[in-house]
């Protein structure tokens, strides 16, 4: 005890130097982000900049001390090298002729990367705030074919990414904006004051002042009292047992309120759809059946649609969504407003009830006249549910504490869940993700308790409770089902194995004691694997060729001795047969302009030897709903094979692209075989590993694989669709597609705010990936070092990891199904995995603890058998790392993006 006290007395200054450094880093990053703002939209270039010509941009300076302008320069070459021409930037008060306020030059011969950003710096202009300016760029020594250019966004569908100016070419205003950035040298107080003024429209000054005072008070309390608590072990354990939950809830409340108020309206993913569902429920007296019926009949709420469209326009929705096709254009949500009506109604009932309670309490929250206030009420519902997740994380940490002697987990686990920035963002916007998260977190806590106390009546009751929670979670969101089912199956399998182990302990034979739990696990998983394999059987249809995408139905095929290639053909247009079949080639993802050549063979197969004289066959490329380059032939009545060829032009980044075969016959079947496809006139280099533009099963030699009818009847519709897409070949590379899914989900799990518009800096993704890998190595080291002495916590870690991996795989399969059936080329988002945020945070903490223990085992700071000092230093560093990450995302990413 004396050694620990001496350690504290010697290192107290260092202890508090860490949070001071953290705060300084957050403030510096925030100031830097506010003082540098880019407008990065690009869809073309302004053309070669030659002598006698000029390109300009008008803008309004947001801060004092304007000190530079960044421009995205087009080099017309691949790779870096010296600049082929000089660029001279003139800063003036307006596009009209006048004196230069500053001049900056990019000299010929300076080294440039390919299409770089370049900063034109000049002495700061002290009184620049809120004043209009104009930049004009010329190139006095450029030569044709060796000139530079500037990137810009030429307005599409009246889109205008920068509302406070426009691009100019040779002194004439254009329907465009340059791709540019502004650099300032304001004082930190000026920068933060300007951001605070901008945020005040959504974040009332009284509220953010109150929250700021609470944060400062909490920091001062921690600085004065926390060292005293840490110095005394008995006091430390007593304080954690009494105050860890209140502290975690207060931190969650303050952090959540900041996000609720700081994020502009409608910047949560699909918020307008979630909002509309709750409003429709309230309007129909919480009768979900009536809402579903009216939407299915096409009876929308035009007044609500107009209100939401107007509110989204007021809050610059299209400019704030990075992927919007026409930034600045007016919003028309259309029927997409009712997309969330397909979701379970429970979350929306809660929001509808909250809207009524808010108005009864005198809060102006009419969704038709004050939609922003009504939206904030729904966000408060999400925040309240997130406090429930925080409480469950605290309960899980308490149950997982090592024999009650290590209560730090009861504080670290809920704070880790609460302070992960992307999780805080998702938990503070209108979205039913948080209700699903609450359900799965409750299931995890039930499984923790079950594995801790597996025997007797308590064990049986907890096992039954886990089943009940899983069934209840199905009323929240499909992501809850994807996470809770594997969690339940793995958890209760482990529970049965533990019971088998307890029973085997009564046997005098050591082999029985060791083998019994493993035998139970192997038996259960063998039954499960056998059931999955037995659920599928070969089908008669032609794989890849759909006659219907939703639900999926395949074109019939038959064995044909006279086939053109192989042994099978596709048959259409006979009695009871489909007349068209199609195949997806490219979903609505980027691709260059294409010239596609296709061909195939068709013939008439008559019924009962009675040929028809009226039979046609056709092939066409599909660009959205448009048939491109259709080719049609009249078939030989005698049944001979006829060649069909055609060519189609597909525009750049078109809608979904497919290939369709069609048939018309008064009698008999039309058979297709030996189809081909080739892309010839590709407008630019393109080699997408996920979408290689190939034709699946061109000769119908591969049949489909499908669920047995008895099994299919037991499964929900979405599960049947997913099984169909996963089991059968697709025109895309599944491995490459899942790899791209993994990249997108990983990035948005750690941080990509708004409508995936505000990503983290790339180096931070690398750091977080290294943290996760290091933590997994720590878990592996703990598992290996304790092998043969595992208790229920180690098995719980295996269960959590298995559930996490399974949930990821189910999510990828679900997204791939939407790609095939509905042409939705969206990526799985990290928020879908937040249903497992509590077990994920516990695994992260456990792995970090393993690495820290390994690193400090022989440290001179250790006292006795437990690394008391180093353990507390590890906890302190973890908390400060959380603070740094959370503060950086709020102050240096979210605040500058929306209010900079």
């Amino acid at each position: 005890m004396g050694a620990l006290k001496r350690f504290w007395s010697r290192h107290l200054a260092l202890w508090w130097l860490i949070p001071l450094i953290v705060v300084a880093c957050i403030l510096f990053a925030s100031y830097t982000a506010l003082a540098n703002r880019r407008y990065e939209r690009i869809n073309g270039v302004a053309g070669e900049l030659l002598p006698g010509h000029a390109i300009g941009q008008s803008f309004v300076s947001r801060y004092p001390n304007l000190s530079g302008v960044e421009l995205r320069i087009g080099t017309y070459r691949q790779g870096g090298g010296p600049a082929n021409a000089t660029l001279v930037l003139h800063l003036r008060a307006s596009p009209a002729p006048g004196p230069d306020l500053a001049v900056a030059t990019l000299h010929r011969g300076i080294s440039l990367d390919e299409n770089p950003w370049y900063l034109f710096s000049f002495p700061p202009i002290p009184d620049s705030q809120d004043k209009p300016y104009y930049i004009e760029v010329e190139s006095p020594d450029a030569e044709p074919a060796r000139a530079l250019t500037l990137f810009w966004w030429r307005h599409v569908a009246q889109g205008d990414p920068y509302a406070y100016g426009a691009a100019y070419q040779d002194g004439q205003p254009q329907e465009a904006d340059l791709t540019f950035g502004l650099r300032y040298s304001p004082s930190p107080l000026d920068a933060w004051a300007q951001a605070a003024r901008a945020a005040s429209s959504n974040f009332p000054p009284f509220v953010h002042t109150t929250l700021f005072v609470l944060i400062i008070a909490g920091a001062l309390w921690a600085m004065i009292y926390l060292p005293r608590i840490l110095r005394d072990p008995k006091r430390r354990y007593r304080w954690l047992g009494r105050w860890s939950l209140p502290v975690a809830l207060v931190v969650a409340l303050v952090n959540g309120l900041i996000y609720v108020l700081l994020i502009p309206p409608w910047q949560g993913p699909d918020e307008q759809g979630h909002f509309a569902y709750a409003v429709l429920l309230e309007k129909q007296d919480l009768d979900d059946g009536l809402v579903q019926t009216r939407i299915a009949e096409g009876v929308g709420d035009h007044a609500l649609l107009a209100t939401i469209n107007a509110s989204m326009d007021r809050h610059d929705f299209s400019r704030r969504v990075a992927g919007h096709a026409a930034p600045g254009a007016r919003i028309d949500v259309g029927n997409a407003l009712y997309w969330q009506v397909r979701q379970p109604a429970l979350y929306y009932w809660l929001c509808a009830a909250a809207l009524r309670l808010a108005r009864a309490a005198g809060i102006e929250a009419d969704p038709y006249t004050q939609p922003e206030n009504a939206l904030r009420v729904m966000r408060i519902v999400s925040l309240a549910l997130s406090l429930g997740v925080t409480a469950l994380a605290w309960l899980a940490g308490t149950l997982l504490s090592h024999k009650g002697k290590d209560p730090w987990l009861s504080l670290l686990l809920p704070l880790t869940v609460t302070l992960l920035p992307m999780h805080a963002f998702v938990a503070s916007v209108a979205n039913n993700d948080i209700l699903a998260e609450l359900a799965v977190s409750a299931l995890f806590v039930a499984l923790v308790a079950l594995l801790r106390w597996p025997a007797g009546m308590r064990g049986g009751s907890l096992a039954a409770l886990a089943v009940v929670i899983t069934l209840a979670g199905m009323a929240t969101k499909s992501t809850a089902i994807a996470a809770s089912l594997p969690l339940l199956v793995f958890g209760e399998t482990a529970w049965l194995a533990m019971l088998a182990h307890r029973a085997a302990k009564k046997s005098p034979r050591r082999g029985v004691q060791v083998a019994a739990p493993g035998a139970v696990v192997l038996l259960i998983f063998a039954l499960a694997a056998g059931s999955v394999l037995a659920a599928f059987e070969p089908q008669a249809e032609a794989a890849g060729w759909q006659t219907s995408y939703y639900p999926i139905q395949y074109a019939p095929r038959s064995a044909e001795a006279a086939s053109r290639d192989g042994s099978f053909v596709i048959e259409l247009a006979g009695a009871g047969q489909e007349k068209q079949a199609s195949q997806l080639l490219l979903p609505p993802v980027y691709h260059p302009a294409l010239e596609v050549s296709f061909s195939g063979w068709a013939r008439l197969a008559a019924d009962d030897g009675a040929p028809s004289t009226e039979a046609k066959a056709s092939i066409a490329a599909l660009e959205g709903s448009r048939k491109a380059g259709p080719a049609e032939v009249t078939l030989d009545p005698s049944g001979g094979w006829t060649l069909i060829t055609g060519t189609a032009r597909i525009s750049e980044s078109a809608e979904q692209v497919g290939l369709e075969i069609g048939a018309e016959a008064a009698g008999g079947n039309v058979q297709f075989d030996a189809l081909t496809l080739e892309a010839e006139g590709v407008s630019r280099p393109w080699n997408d590993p996920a979408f290689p533009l190939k034709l699946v099963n061109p000769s119908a030699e591969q049949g489909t694989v499908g669920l047995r009818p008895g099994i299919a009847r037991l499964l929900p519709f979405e599960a049947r669709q997913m099984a169909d897409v996963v089991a059968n070949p697709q025109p895309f590379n599944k491995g490459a597609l899942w790899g791209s899914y993994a990249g997108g989900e990983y990035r948005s799990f750690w941080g990509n705010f708004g409508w995936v518009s505000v990503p983290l800096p790339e180096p931070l993704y690398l750091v977080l990936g290294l943290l996760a890998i290091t933590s997994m190595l720590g878990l592996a080291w703990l598992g290996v070092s304790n092998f043969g002495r595992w208790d229920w916590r180690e098995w719980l870690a295996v269960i959590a990891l298995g559930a996490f991996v399974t949930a990821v795989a189910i999510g990828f399969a679900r997204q791939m199904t939407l790609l095939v059936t509905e042409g939705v080329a969206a990526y799985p988002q990290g928020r879908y995995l937040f249903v497992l945020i509590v077990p994920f945070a516990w695994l992260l903490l456990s792995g970090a603890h393993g690495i820290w223990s390994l690193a400090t085992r022989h440290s001179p700071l250790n006292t006795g058998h437990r690394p008391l000092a180093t353990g507390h230093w590890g906890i302190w560093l973890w908390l400060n790392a959380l603070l740094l990450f959370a503060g950086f995302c709020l102050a240096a990413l979210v605040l500058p993006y929306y209010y900079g």
Side-chain angles (χ1 to χ4, degrees):
M1 190 62 61
L4 181 58
K5 289 183 177 179
R6 287 193 298 273
F7 177 84
W8 280 118
S9 63
R10 294 173 184 173
H11 297 87
L12 188 59
L14 178 60
W15 181 267
W16 287 115
L17 181 61
I18 294 173
L20 292 177
I21 293 173
V22 166
V23 172
C25 290
I26 293 171
L27 294 177
F28 176 77
S30 176
Y31 169 72
T32 303
L34 289 169
N36 301 280
R37 182 67 188 273
R38 284 179 175 176
Y39 305 92
E40 302 188 61
R41 301 295 180 93
I42 293 174
N43 65 1
V45 296
E48 286 188 317
L49 187 52
L50 298 172
H53 298 274
I55 302 172
Q57 173 75 37
S58 58
F59 64 92
V60 174
S61 174
R62 191 163 181 81
Y63 298 106
N65 295 310
L66 177 67
S67 60
V69 176
E70 284 187 291
L71 293 172
R72 186 74 183 273
I73 297 172
T75 56
Y76 288 115
R77 70 176 176 219
Q78 292 184 347
N84 291 329
T86 299
L87 295 182
V88 181
L89 180 143
H90 303 268
L91 177 70
R92 301 202 297 264
S94 71
D100 288 343
L101 301 177
V103 178
T105 303
L106 183 161
H107 293 284
R108 185 173 192 160
I110 191 172
S111 179
L112 291 178
D113 293 332
E114 180 182 345
N115 301 330
W117 283 93
Y118 185 82
L119 173 64
F120 293 86
S121 298
F122 42 79
I125 301 174
D127 57 347
S128 62
Q129 184 166 1
D130 297 327
K131 289 186 177 181
Y133 291 96
Y134 174 73
I135 56 167
E136 188 169 79
V137 181
E138 60 179 353
S139 184
D141 59 359
E143 301 170 6
R146 289 183 58 80
L148 300 175
T149 187
L150 299 179
F151 284 94
W152 66 7
W153 175 280
R154 182 165 287 280
H155 300 173
V156 179
Q158 300 181 348
D160 183 4
Y162 183 72
Y164 308 107
Y168 285 72
Q169 197 161 36
D170 294 333
Q172 300 300 313
Q174 305 293 307
E175 291 292 321
D177 288 298
L178 289 185
T179 303
F180 72 107
L182 299 174
R183 288 285 184 96
Y184 305 91
S185 302
S187 69
L189 289 179
D190 285 335
W192 292 321
Q194 175 68 7
R197 284 193 295 271
S200 62
S201 60
N202 298 317
F203 202 139
F206 171 76
V207 176
H208 68 61
T209 300
T210 302
L211 291 176
F212 180 76
V213 170
L214 287 174
I215 292 171
I216 294 299
L220 291 174
W221 172 87
M223 291 180 69
I224 295 170
Y225 289 103
L226 190 57
R228 300 179 185 178
I229 295 170
L230 294 174
R231 202 176 287 131
D232 183 351
K234 291 183 179 180
R235 185 179 180 185
R236 179 169 63 246
Y237 296 147
R238 186 169 59 249
W239 181 88
L240 283 169
R242 182 179 300 172
W243 292 104
S244 55
L245 177 59
V247 167
L249 289 175
V250 169
V251 171
L253 178 62
V254 171
N255 193 46
L257 279 175
I258 292 173
Y259 275 99
V260 164
L261 299 171
L262 194 64
I263 301 297
W266 319 113
Q267 287 299 306
D270 304 314
E271 263 196 318
Q272 72 274 29
H274 297 290
F275 177 82
Y277 191 3
V279 172
L280 293 174
L281 271 176
E282 187 201 5
K283 186 177 180 180
Q284 301 299 335
D285 293 324
L286 307 183
D287 189 340
D288 182 55
L290 183 57
V291 171
Q292 300 285 346
T293 300
R294 291 176 66 86
I295 296 302
E297 293 174 350
V299 181
D301 190 325
H302 300 294
L304 180 62
L305 176 61
T307 296
I308 292 176
N309 283 339
S311 179
M312 294 175 76
D313 286 337
R314 285 196 300 273
H315 293 279
D316 271 346
F317 177 82
S318 63
R319 285 195 181 92
R320 286 169 162 166
V321 173
H324 201 279
R330 295 181 66 84
I331 293 297
D332 183 10
V333 176
N335 289 331
L337 185 68
Y338 311 114
W339 176 244
Q340 299 304 326
V341 172
R342 76 190 194 287
Q343 302 277 10
L346 181 56
Y347 172 79
Y348 307 96
W349 280 331
L350 295 174
C351 290
L355 287 172
R356 290 191 175 184
L357 288 174
R359 291 199 300 274
I363 298 173
E364 295 182 354
D366 187 294
Y368 293 90
T369 58
Q370 296 101 7
E372 293 86 357
N373 289 349
L375 178 63
R376 290 189 183 98
V377 170
M378 288 185 62
R379 288 182 174 186
I380 293 297
V381 172
S382 294
L383 177 58
L385 293 171
S386 76
L387 295 181
V389 174
T390 301
L392 288 169
W394 170 85
L395 182 55
T398 301
L399 293 173
L400 287 163
S401 295
H402 183 65
K403 298 180 180 179
K405 295 180 180 180
D406 190 14
W408 280 109
L409 198 58
S410 64
L411 181 65
L412 288 182
L413 185 55
L415 287 182
T416 301
V417 169
T418 293
L419 291 176
L420 281 176
M422 192 64 191
H423 176 256
F425 163 76
V426 170
S428 303
V429 296
N431 195 307
N432 62 343
D433 286 320
I434 189 60
L435 185 61
E437 185 181 322
L438 184 69
V440 179
S441 298
L443 173 61
F444 179 71
V445 171
L447 291 177
V448 172
L450 174 62
L451 296 187
R452 183 168 179 172
W453 300 295
M457 182 64 70
R458 179 161 56 177
S461 300
L462 288 170
L465 177 62
V467 174
V468 171
I469 293 173
T470 301
L471 294 175
M474 293 181 179
T476 60
K477 193 172 183 174
S478 59
T479 53
I481 301 174
S484 59
L485 285 179
L487 200 60
L488 178 71
V489 170
F490 296 156
E492 302 233 336
T493 298
W495 170 62
L496 293 174
M498 292 176 69
L499 292 182
H501 179 65
R502 286 173 175 256
K505 280 186 175 180
K506 299 176 181 178
S507 171
R509 301 173 66 180
R510 178 63 177 171
V512 172
Q513 297 177 18
V514 173
V520 170
V521 172
L522 289 175
L523 176 61
I524 292 174
F525 281 99
L527 290 173
S531 299
V532 171
L533 293 175
F536 290 90
E537 64 180 1
Q539 308 284 335
E541 289 79 15
W545 294 96
Q546 283 96 345
T547 59
S548 169
Y549 283 101
Y550 204 81
I552 295 175
Q553 295 177 355
Y554 292 95
R557 72 168 188 158
S558 65
E560 178 60 64
S563 64
R564 288 288 307 185
D565 181 35
S567 304
F568 291 88
V569 296
I570 299 172
E571 289 193 334
L572 298 175
Q577 302 282 22
E578 298 288 343
K579 295 186 177 182
Q580 285 89 27
S582 60
Q583 184 173 134
L584 172 71
L585 298 178
L586 292 172
V589 297
Y590 170 77
H591 58 80
L594 304 170
E595 185 174 292
V596 178
S597 297
F598 49 82
S599 68
W601 295 83
R603 78 174 195 129
L604 178 65
D607 287 335
D608 299 325
S612 168
T613 58
E614 299 181 9
K616 295 180 179 180
S618 63
I619 307 179
L622 297 176
E623 186 175 348
S625 58
R626 181 182 75 88
K627 289 187 178 181
E632 184 179 81
V633 297
T634 300
L635 299 178
D636 182 355
S638 65
W641 287 99
T642 303
L643 177 66
I644 314 171
T645 62
T647 302
R649 293 185 178 275
I650 306 297
S651 56
E652 182 177 8
S653 293
E655 298 180 73
Q656 179 170 300
V657 178
L659 189 72
E660 181 183 82
I661 56 177
E664 295 180 16
N669 298 333
V670 174
Q671 298 177 344
F672 291 83
D673 201 8
L675 294 145
T676 67
L677 176 79
E678 185 175 356
E680 295 180 341
V682 180
S683 62
R684 67 182 63 174
W686 178 61
N687 184 22
D688 191 322
F691 304 106
L693 193 65
K694 68 176 182 179
L695 201 60
V696 172
N697 201 20
S699 297
E701 297 305 298
Q702 186 172 358
T704 59
V705 176
L707 292 168
R708 298 180 186 275
I711 300 295
R713 284 192 292 270
L714 299 176
L715 295 176
F717 175 74
E718 288 187 357
R720 298 199 301 271
Q721 293 280 87
M722 289 167 59
D724 204 326
V725 170
V726 171
N728 287 291
Q730 302 299 336
F732 43 79
N733 185 319
K734 293 181 183 179
L737 181 64
W738 280 37
S740 64
Y741 282 171
E745 190 164 47
Y746 168 80
R747 292 169 63 87
S748 59
F749 180 89
W750 288 113
N752 202 343
F753 303 93
W755 287 60
V756 290
S757 301
V758 192
L760 303 178
E762 287 300 323
L764 195 50
Y765 286 117
L766 177 61
V767 170
L768 292 167
L770 291 175
L771 170 65
I773 292 172
T774 302
S775 184
M776 292 301 102
L777 291 175
L779 283 175
W781 178 79
L782 287 174
V784 171
S785 61
N786 293 327
F787 190 75
R789 294 178 286 111
W790 280 19
D791 66 5
W792 60 273
R793 291 172 186 81
E794 280 80 8
W795 289 112
L796 182 66
V798 173
I799 292 165
L801 281 170
F804 194 84
V805 172
T806 305
V808 169
I810 292 174
F812 288 3
R814 170 61 176 155
Q815 200 64 52
M816 192 170 68
T817 301
L818 292 176
L819 179 68
V820 172
T821 59
E822 299 182 17
V824 177
Y827 285 76
Q829 295 186 32
R831 60 189 174 92
Y832 300 158
L833 297 177
F834 286 155
V835 288
L836 290 166
I837 191 65
V838 175
F840 173 82
W842 173 62
L843 291 173
L844 201 64
L845 282 164
S846 299
H849 169 71
I851 291 294
W852 184 264
S853 300
L854 180 63
T856 60
R857 173 178 292 180
H858 304 295
S859 169
L861 296 177
N862 289 350
T863 57
H865 296 287
R866 291 191 62 200
L868 294 173
T870 56
H872 299 139
W873 276 96
I875 292 166
W876 188 237
L877 289 173
W878 183 271
L879 289 173
N880 279 276
L882 283 175
L883 175 63
L884 177 61
F885 188 27
F888 173 82
C889 289
L890 266 175
L893 295 178
V894 173
L895 182 67
Y897 183 83
Y898 291 118
Y899 304 105

